[in-house]
Amino acid sequence: MNNQLLVPTKEEMMSSQVIAQTAANTPYWQKMGGMQAILSVMLLARELGISPMNAITGMFNVIQGKVEISGKGMNYLIRRAGHKLKLIMLTNEKCILNGIIS
């Protein structure tokens, strides 16, 4: 991958900041940690080819200041790559999945 593609253009960064600030002013996203946390999630998602709104609606979590991909995000990337997941067992204590590479 071309490293220049990982760095957003000035215009793209400005757009992302507007989206992040708007989201940060919304009660639903305030718990993410403010505009900077939301922007960090959006920038990481951008590198993985995930849209900003998908990113901030559950594909990533901010845990103790670190951006981590969620189970929903992992599932999305696995299925987007054409692979499959089959639920084998699910209890309150354990989840077993079978991954099928396509």
Side-chain angles (χ1 to χ4, degrees):
M1 177 183 271
N2 182 344
N3 284 338
Q4 286 183 319
L5 297 177
L6 296 179
V7 179
T9 64
K10 183 178 179 180
E11 293 80 17
E12 190 177 4
M13 188 66 177
M14 289 174 63
S15 294
S16 295
Q17 289 172 330
V18 168
I19 294 168
Q21 186 60 58
T22 301
N25 291 331
T26 305
Y28 177 80
W29 286 296
Q30 286 176 351
K31 62 185 174 191
M32 285 186 78
M35 185 233 178
Q36 292 83 6
I38 294 168
L39 183 59
S40 295
V41 167
M42 290 169 51
L43 291 173
L44 177 60
R46 179 186 177 278
E47 291 186 21
L48 297 171
I50 298 171
S51 72
M53 292 308 291
N54 276 330
I56 65 174
T57 56
M59 289 203 183
F60 295 88
N61 300 310
V62 179
I63 302 170
Q64 296 181 345
K66 287 178 58 179
V67 179
E68 303 286 342
I69 192 162
S70 69
K72 179 181 175 180
M74 287 183 230
N75 181 37
Y76 173 80
L77 292 174
I78 290 166
R79 292 178 189 274
R80 184 179 74 181
H83 309 303
K84 297 178 183 174
L85 293 172
K86 181 178 178 187
L87 181 62
I88 304 299
M89 181 174 76
L90 178 62
T91 69
N92 287 337
E93 293 82 32
K94 189 184 239 184
C95 175
I96 299 175
L97 298 172
N98 185 16
I100 303 161
I101 298 173
S102 299

